Amino acid sequence: MAGRGNLSALALINDIKQHELDMIGVELSALRAQQDDFARQRQALSDSAARESAESTSDMRVYLHAYLSSVDRQRQGLLVESDKLSAQIEVLEEKLFDTFRESKTTRTVLARAQANVDLEAQRAEYIIDSKHARWPTLRHLPPSRCRRS
């Protein structure tokens, strides 16, 4: 039977696991937001390059190739950074899954331990009630004084 101390310890472990899940979730959200920002920047660069290509005059076409190459390098740099974030996100998602599994296990053990404590309390109450039924004269005594079997 799990005692009250064990229940408290399991509840604390459960709270810690929930906090870990929350912190991983916050970190994942930040990385995904940064990845989305990189995607927006890449799209903005593409849009800018397309606009400059369409609006360039014959005088500007001499410089257009250099500009488009620069935009392409910037886009590639953003893509490399985004790929690094993807690797970090993958690691965090695995950690999130593991932590969730541990949390679920802890909650299951906590629920079983609580059910056992509740069952023991019901058994104790039943025993006290059955003693009172057998010895009607002891009904008015506090349970601590009815421990004769």
Side-chain angles (χ1 to χ4, degrees):
M1 177 183 94
R4 295 275 179 213
N6 289 344
L7 283 177
S8 296
L10 285 171
L12 179 62
I13 291 170
N14 186 49
D15 291 346
I16 290 169
K17 288 298 174 189
Q18 186 60 47
H19 180 70
E20 284 179 36
L21 283 171
D22 293 344
M23 296 309 299
I24 293 169
V26 166
E27 194 172 348
L28 269 173
S29 293
L31 289 176
R32 287 184 178 135
Q34 192 173 3
Q35 196 174 40
D36 290 345
D37 186 46
F38 286 158
R40 278 190 294 279
Q41 288 179 34
R42 282 194 322 269
Q43 185 61 47
L45 286 169
S46 294
D47 293 347
S48 175
R51 189 175 50 254
E52 289 296 325
S53 293
E55 296 173 357
S56 67
T57 62
S58 58
D59 294 337
M60 293 171 47
R61 292 209 190 271
V62 175
Y63 306 106
L64 185 60
H65 178 69
Y67 172 73
L68 293 177
S69 295
S70 173
V71 166
D72 195 39
R73 281 191 304 275
Q74 290 175 359
R75 289 189 78 243
Q76 288 294 18
L78 289 170
L79 189 57
V80 167
E81 291 301 315
S82 183
D83 289 345
K84 288 178 186 177
L85 288 178
S86 292
Q88 291 175 358
I89 287 171
E90 190 174 313
V91 168
L92 275 178
E93 285 174 341
E94 186 66 29
K95 185 177 178 182
L96 181 71
F97 176 75
D98 290 343
T99 304
F100 177 76
R101 188 178 65 240
E102 291 169 5
S103 175
K104 187 69 173 167
T105 300
T106 303
R107 279 188 295 225
T108 301
V109 171
L110 178 60
R112 286 182 185 163
Q114 183 63 53
N116 286 341
V117 166
D118 292 347
L119 183 62
E120 288 298 319
Q122 288 174 352
R123 285 180 184 158
E125 186 176 322
Y126 174 77
I127 289 170
I128 289 171
D129 288 346
S130 67
K131 284 182 180 180
H132 286 194
R134 280 188 275 162
W135 296 311
T137 58
L138 298 177
R139 273 193 190 151
H140 302 292
L141 293 176
S144 60
R145 304 210 46 212
C146 296
R147 297 214 175 178
R148 298 179 206 150
S149 296

